[in-house]
Amino acid sequence: MLLVLIILKYFLLIAIGAYLLRLFYSTLSSYGEVFVFLRRKEISVILWVFIFAFAALLFYQAYWQLFISNPDFTETRKLHDPRPWIIEATTVKGKIYDRTHDESKLLAGYTEANDGGMPRRYYPLGEATSHLIGYSDVERDKAGMEKFYFDRLMGRTRDNAAEEETFTNNQYFRLQPMGNDIVLTIDYELQKTAYEAFGANKGAVVALEPATGDVLVMVSAPSFHPDSVSVDAAWARIVTDEDGKRLYNRALKGRYPPGSTFKTIVAAAALEKGIRPVWTLDGRGYRPPGVRRKRVHDHEKISWAKRGKRWRGQGKIDLTRALVKSSNAYFAHLGVVVGDSMLHTIAEKFGFNRAVEWNTSRPQLLRILTTRRSSFPATPTAHELAWSSIGQEKVLATPLQLAMIAAAIANDGVLMKPRLELDEPPQQWNRVISSKTAVTMRKMMREVVWARGGTAWRMRMKEVEVGGKTGTAEVNQMVKKEDGSTAVEIVNNAVFISFAPVENPKIAIAVIAEGAGYGGSAAAPVAKQIYLKAHELGYFDEPNDAVEKQ
């Protein structure tokens, strides 16, 4: 329809121009004596040059409006067209609230107007929510929720009665256009606690409500302050920080080896298959069958060697104790016994090798809210299967994916679609494991925290009973030396997944801290601070509705 109107506009312009030109010459011929000067060649040339220039300008305007579709040209045109920014600057966009819809817990709002000017957009949590809420700037465009929900925040959508009313008022009644507010599932207090607890680490924290899929926390670090985007010097520092990659949303796009947290999937697959082996493991570790016969050793072998002692192995050990001790040798062997097909089937039900299905009724959000796929590639050899079973080899997971693993186990084996907008009704993604397997897994993960020798013993607290699984993933990292040269060294990413309370989980958390060391000592304490804050806010009280408590 727009194309037809544009063509019609130029057709009318050409018709009017032709008519005026004909009228002009008719007038000249009638008053030949008066306009005798036009018979001079120089004047005629000037007239025809003017006519040609007008036609060329008309053709050029028609050409770039109708035929040019070059993305660079389109972006340049948008950048230098001030009209959209003038409209945005004179519109009071909708506020973005946390799940409590409390005015004191705004995620994006406005300052008071000064000296008759417009109020300024501001972000109370600053760096803590910058990757989620995003920014809006004349030169740097938009990101995050400011981009995802732009039309709605501007009052342009008409998806329900409230939005229809806002749209109508803006069009016909209000001198000052207003936008629509949005209530997210994020918890202001938990988000703030998570960001502060994460400190100077690089990585991400994601917390979900297992029963609904609500995203309670989404932290990516290092971060940036949304206000700094509009400051040239600050923006230059942000985009040139190659090491920090401050604009990169690690929670949704960062892919990391899951380390020993992947053993929860192997254990769940074994239980689904009816396998709970008891093996005797010596200090030599496990050597997969086949041509490549690199042994898989338990982490105690290295720690004992550092103390000048010889590791003699786990001895007789069952599935629960293997998870408590995070035995690499046991789970590498178990993964081979479970088999490639079963393990991949269960992993894909948890969300690996699949696009994340967000809970939203707005297709535009699905197009913009990009989340990288977690990857569990094919394992054609026993060697690859064994090492993948302990979260190494080529297995990669996003922090969101790891949180969904914990949430599915916590929710009796049902994985809910992650939800960011509180108004959307909860939606089930799929059943991952049976309820019986989920109950057994919760008991086993409780032992990881509370049993003697459990790797997550730092999570013990009197306020709430937590179940979890630690992980320490070895990755190669490029390090720049003092002389300017670079070298590759192995560092440990700290990983931790968990849920609480064990009997009736309300929150599931995943933490990944890049190069921070061991999951139990570097990642678990971050989750602990979130659980303590959640306890303070009443999340673990009965009834289950934490929103009412707040």
Side-chain angles (χ1 to χ4, degrees):
M1 185 62 185
L2 179 62
L3 181 63
V4 173
L5 291 175
I6 293 174
I7 294 174
L8 182 61
K9 179 183 78 172
Y10 286 110
F11 177 78
L12 289 173
L13 285 174
I14 293 172
I16 292 171
Y19 174 77
L20 291 175
L21 188 64
R22 181 182 176 185
L23 184 63
F24 180 66
Y25 272 102
S26 298
T27 303
L28 291 181
S29 60
S30 300
Y31 297 94
E33 296 298 325
V34 177
F35 297 100
V36 68
F37 66 91
L38 290 175
R39 296 176 184 174
R40 296 178 56 186
K41 184 177 181 181
E42 295 85 352
I43 300 299
S44 297
V45 169
I46 293 173
L47 178 62
W48 281 108
V49 168
F50 175 78
I51 294 172
F52 175 79
F54 176 77
L57 182 63
L58 191 65
F59 174 78
Y60 174 71
Q61 187 183 23
Y63 174 70
W64 65 254
Q65 277 200 303
L66 294 174
F67 304 110
I68 291 183
S69 60
N70 183 283
D72 294 332
F73 179 85
T74 303
E75 287 300 316
T76 303
R77 187 176 65 186
K78 286 170 57 180
L79 182 63
H80 294 284
D81 183 1
R83 289 171 296 178
W85 292 104
I86 293 173
I87 295 172
E88 182 177 352
T90 55
T91 300
V92 178
K93 290 195 292 186
K95 297 175 182 178
I96 302 178
Y97 291 91
D98 90 325
R99 65 189 295 108
T100 65
H101 206 166
D102 189 333
E103 198 71 29
S104 67
K105 296 179 180 179
L106 280 176
L107 300 176
Y110 279 97
T111 60
E112 293 293 331
N114 295 321
D115 300 327
M118 289 292 296
R120 183 180 63 84
R121 193 74 159 169
Y122 84 112
Y123 309 91
L125 284 182
E127 294 185 354
T129 56
S130 59
H131 291 93
L132 176 66
I133 304 302
Y135 57 83
S136 182
D137 181 78
V138 175
E139 295 185 19
R140 278 104 204 186
D141 202 7
K142 301 172 181 64
M145 296 293 107
E146 292 280 25
K147 182 175 183 178
F148 305 155
Y149 291 116
F150 178 70
D151 285 339
R152 189 175 175 191
L153 291 168
M154 289 287 290
R156 297 173 180 172
T157 52
R158 309 169 74 173
D159 295 338
N160 53 50
E163 292 178 15
E164 179 71 36
E165 182 179 355
T166 301
F167 180 86
T168 303
N169 285 336
N170 288 343
Q171 289 289 103
Y172 304 110
F173 302 110
R174 285 182 183 159
L175 294 177
Q176 175 66 68
M178 305 291 288
N180 298 297
D181 295 337
I182 296 174
V183 182
L184 299 183
T185 59
I186 296 297
D187 187 294
Y188 179 100
E189 298 292 346
L190 295 185
Q191 182 82 12
K192 181 180 178 181
T193 299
Y195 183 76
E196 291 174 351
F198 203 61
N201 287 316
K202 296 178 184 177
V205 184
V206 176
L208 303 175
E209 189 174 72
T212 62
D214 286 2
V215 181
L216 302 175
V217 172
M218 186 179 290
V219 167
S220 178
S223 189
F224 62 95
H225 200 292
D227 289 342
S228 64
V229 172
S230 300
V231 181
D232 290 342
W235 177 254
R237 288 193 295 270
I238 291 171
V239 297
T240 56
D241 184 5
E242 290 295 327
D243 183 49
K245 291 183 171 59
R246 294 179 178 274
L247 293 174
Y248 194 65
N249 190 339
R250 288 165 164 84
L252 300 182
K253 299 180 181 179
R255 299 200 303 170
Y256 304 87
S260 293
T261 60
F262 194 77
K263 293 171 184 175
T264 55
I265 292 182
V266 180
L271 291 171
E272 288 287 278
K273 200 171 183 178
I275 301 172
R276 296 193 67 167
V278 177
W279 290 320
T280 300
L281 304 179
D282 58 28
R284 294 177 299 171
Y286 170 69
R287 182 161 59 187
V291 178
R292 296 180 65 185
R293 301 168 64 84
K294 181 181 177 183
R295 288 185 177 273
V296 182
H297 294 284
D298 288 336
H299 60 86
E300 289 93 343
K301 180 179 176 65
I302 297 174
S303 60
W304 280 50
K306 289 180 179 179
R307 299 197 302 266
K309 297 181 179 181
R310 180 170 172 265
W311 170 243
R312 298 184 180 278
Q314 302 286 357
K316 192 174 182 179
I317 189 171
D318 63 6
L319 180 58
T320 299
R321 191 62 184 167
L323 195 70
V324 169
K325 298 290 291 181
S326 196
S327 172
N328 292 332
Y330 184 98
F331 278 96
H333 188 185
L334 183 62
V336 173
V337 171
V338 169
D340 175 88
S341 177
M342 182 66 175
L343 202 53
H344 275 80
T345 297
I346 296 297
E348 287 174 4
K349 286 184 178 180
F350 272 105
F352 282 84
N353 301 332
R354 302 169 64 185
V356 174
E357 292 189 20
W358 288 91
N359 179 0
T360 178
S361 58
R362 300 173 189 266
Q364 66 272 21
L365 182 63
L366 294 175
R367 291 194 299 269
I368 301 173
L369 190 59
T370 54
T371 307
R372 294 190 70 184
R373 296 189 182 197
S374 297
S375 174
F376 181 22
T379 50
T381 67
H383 168 87
E384 291 173 309
L385 183 56
W387 283 92
S388 294
S389 297
I390 62 171
Q392 294 288 163
E393 196 65 20
K394 298 177 182 178
V395 183
L396 296 172
T398 64
L400 175 62
Q401 173 64 69
L402 294 176
M404 289 194 297
I405 293 173
I409 294 172
N411 194 38
D412 272 342
V414 175
L415 179 61
M416 304 298 289
K417 293 181 180 180
R419 178 173 72 165
L420 274 171
E421 190 176 351
L422 199 62
D423 291 341
E424 298 283 358
Q427 291 183 8
Q428 179 179 324
W429 190 352
N430 62 283
R431 173 166 284 283
V432 180
I433 52 179
S434 68
S435 178
K436 181 180 178 181
T437 297
V439 170
T440 304
M441 285 299 304
R442 289 201 298 272
K443 292 178 179 178
M444 291 168 58
M445 292 175 72
R446 177 202 178 278
E447 294 299 295
V448 174
V449 176
W450 296 92
R452 181 180 179 183
T455 55
W457 61 269
R458 291 177 178 83
M459 289 301 298
R460 297 171 190 169
M461 58 185 115
K462 63 181 181 180
E463 290 82 0
V464 61
E465 190 176 51
V466 178
K469 183 67 191 81
T470 58
T472 304
E474 291 186 351
V475 294
N476 294 325
Q477 179 175 286
M478 189 70 70
V479 178
K480 192 171 184 179
K481 297 182 177 179
E482 294 182 359
D483 60 1
S485 62
T486 57
V488 177
E489 67 176 33
I490 297 176
V491 298
N492 291 326
N493 285 349
V495 191
F496 184 64
I497 63 173
S498 61
F499 49 79
V502 172
E503 291 302 321
N504 187 18
K506 309 295 197 309
I507 299 177
I509 299 175
V511 181
I512 292 185
E514 299 177 17
Y518 297 102
S521 59
V526 177
K528 187 173 185 177
Q529 293 303 311
I530 299 172
Y531 285 127
L532 288 173
K533 188 65 178 180
H535 176 267
E536 178 186 325
L537 294 172
Y539 271 88
F540 307 133
D541 296 345
E542 296 295 341
N544 184 20
D545 195 348
V547 176
E548 290 181 359
K549 293 291 181 182
Q550 297 183 54

